[in-house]
Amino acid sequence: MARVSSTQPRTFFFRFVEWYSKRTYGKVLEPARVLAHNPRVLRTDLRFEQAVAKWDKLDPELRKLAEMASAASIGCAWCMDFGYWVGRESGMAREKLLDVPRWRESDVYTPLERDVLEYAEAMTATPPTVGDELAGRLRDRLGEPAFVELTAMVAVENFRSRVNSALGLTSQGFKDSCDLRDARAAGSTGTAAR
């Protein structure tokens, strides 16, 4: 249960955010609803997210795995739900998204993906537990620009997940909509979804 009401002042700005969110995601994102109680915070968050969306040095799938590993470490149900949907919408394998919380036991990840997942968890720990060897492997494999972006992306997801968790936001049903779509597609082709 959200710790802030999702009923906000019906300002022109929020009506625009609501329209854009419905058009882009099919529904109004709960973080926008609760941040709308402080329009300056919401505006700043939206500008920041627009800038982050333009980062392009890190492979998008590695980025999504890092975000989800951080969200899983923090326990942000909203971020895991939305992250799964974003990953599926971009074509990521369902198994890779589902296995993030138990990546160490899973066999669906490459060595580089495993390093990214480990790095995200290590950065998310309090205090961070990033070691020189892991950081060096990632820097060498990704290059310095992508490594810096990976580091910043994990920090961004820590911010998102901690805000959403502290505000009590939970799943908004994004994953469920993907699962329904996958089940329908599997039914029409005769294959079973995992």
Side-chain angles (χ1 to χ4, degrees), residues 119-131 158:
Y119 186 74
E121 280 187 359
M123 256 191 80
T124 302
T126 304
T129 59
V130 174
N158 265 263

Side-chain angles (χ1 to χ4, degrees), residues 99-149:
D99 282 1
V100 167
R102 59 181 182 278
W103 66 268
R104 283 181 175 81
E105 295 82 39
S106 176
D107 62 358
V108 299
Y109 302 108
T110 67
L112 177 57
E113 290 169 337
R114 288 180 174 288
D115 281 350
V116 165
L117 291 160
E118 182 180 350
Y119 186 74
E121 280 187 359
M123 256 191 80
T124 302
T126 304
T129 59
V130 174
D132 290 340
E133 184 180 325
L134 175 60
R137 279 196 317 267
L138 282 166
R139 186 191 59 242
D140 293 346
R141 296 273 315 272
L142 298 173
E144 289 182 342
F147 178 66
V148 167
E149 187 172 313

Side-chain angles (χ1 to χ4, degrees), residues 170-186:
T170 60
S171 170
Q172 200 173 336
F174 284 99
K175 180 185 175 298
D176 295 340
S177 67
C178 292
D179 290 346
L180 286 172
R181 184 186 67 222
D182 290 347
R184 278 188 239 131

